[in-house]
Amino acid sequence: MAYDFDDSDWLAIDTALPGTDDEQPRSDWYTYPLVGRDRVDLHIARSVGGSEVSVSVQGTVDGRVRTRVELLLDLMASYDLMASYGLVDERSVHRGR
């Protein structure tokens, strides 16, 4: 999959994410398509009252793309993207990592 994820992609997700709830069915999560040689849909929702974000990836991809997506999700889990992108008040974010 050839797709350059940039600031406009983060802005779209940042705008949509506050209205989501990961306890709702995935059909109600925000869906963001990544279209390159292949198409992958990211289904994204935030944990209401928390700083966690749930991500589900849907699409037909080869093993190489699957590995990249898994690595990206692992990296995202290591950082506090919520405060970086203004999705929560930075004072409320736990910094004990």
Side-chain angles (χ1 to χ4, degrees), residues 11-67:
L11 181 60
I13 292 170
D14 184 36
T15 302
L17 198 56
T20 62
D21 178 353
D22 67 353
E23 293 182 4
Q24 297 301 314
R26 290 239 166 95
S27 59
D28 292 341
W29 290 18
Y30 177 63
T31 300
Y32 193 74
L34 301 176
V35 181
R37 287 190 307 263
D38 301 304
R39 177 183 172 133
V40 172
D41 290 329
L42 301 178
H43 302 282
I44 306 165
R46 69 183 185 96
S47 172
V48 176
S51 62
E52 298 84 16
V53 174
S54 296
V55 179
S56 173
V57 180
Q58 183 178 17
T60 304
V61 296
D62 61 24
R64 185 170 155 230
V65 172
R66 178 180 310 279
T67 300

